[in-house]
Amino acid sequence: PTPTSLSPYFAAGRVLAPRFVTSLLCHSVRHFHIPDLLEELLVGASGHGCLLQWPVPAGLVDHTYGELFDSFVRELAAVPLGLMRGGTAIGSPLPYVFTNPPASTRL
């Protein structure tokens, strides 16, 4: 890992590494759908973002990410992308997103 990826600010999503933007631009030349996908996720067809932050439902506290995933897909027609982890409560200076955690991850 590079020093940037070890930074709590990077892990918390408060820093965007220049190499990410460069990589995205380079890949969009061959994968022409990338800009459209990003626009749909960030803005959505209705002009509102499609990426939402939802609390863990009370009935799923202390369950697994796999159970949460199944519940969201089945009951809400929503696809969870990860878990927001809470900073100092777990020894991290800032909250961060655990993207695509294993199904066995405890909530």
Side-chain angles (χ1 to χ4, degrees):
T2 64
T4 302
S5 64
L6 296 175
S7 163
Y9 292 101
F10 182 80
R14 296 184 181 184
V15 174
L16 183 62
R19 67 180 176 268
F20 171 76
V21 176
T22 302
S23 177
L24 193 62
L25 286 172
C26 291
H27 281 89
S28 67
V29 171
R30 289 189 176 209
H31 304 282
F32 57 89
H33 61 278
I34 290 176
D36 294 333
L37 175 63
L38 287 174
E39 182 178 5
E40 186 66 27
L41 286 172
L42 298 174
V43 179
S46 65
H48 296 68
C50 296
L51 293 176
L52 303 172
Q53 203 177 93
W54 289 352
V56 173
L60 290 173
V61 172
D62 293 325
H63 285 252
T64 65
Y65 179 72
E67 291 171 301
L68 177 130
F69 188 94
D70 290 343
S71 173
F72 271 47
V73 169
R74 189 176 55 256
E75 298 172 21
L76 303 171
V79 178
L81 299 178
L83 296 171
M84 174 72 96
R85 294 295 196 182
T88 56
I90 58 169
S92 175
L94 296 168
Y96 63 93
V97 175
F98 185 8
T99 307
N100 193 27
S104 59
T105 302
R106 301 301 298 178
L107 302 177

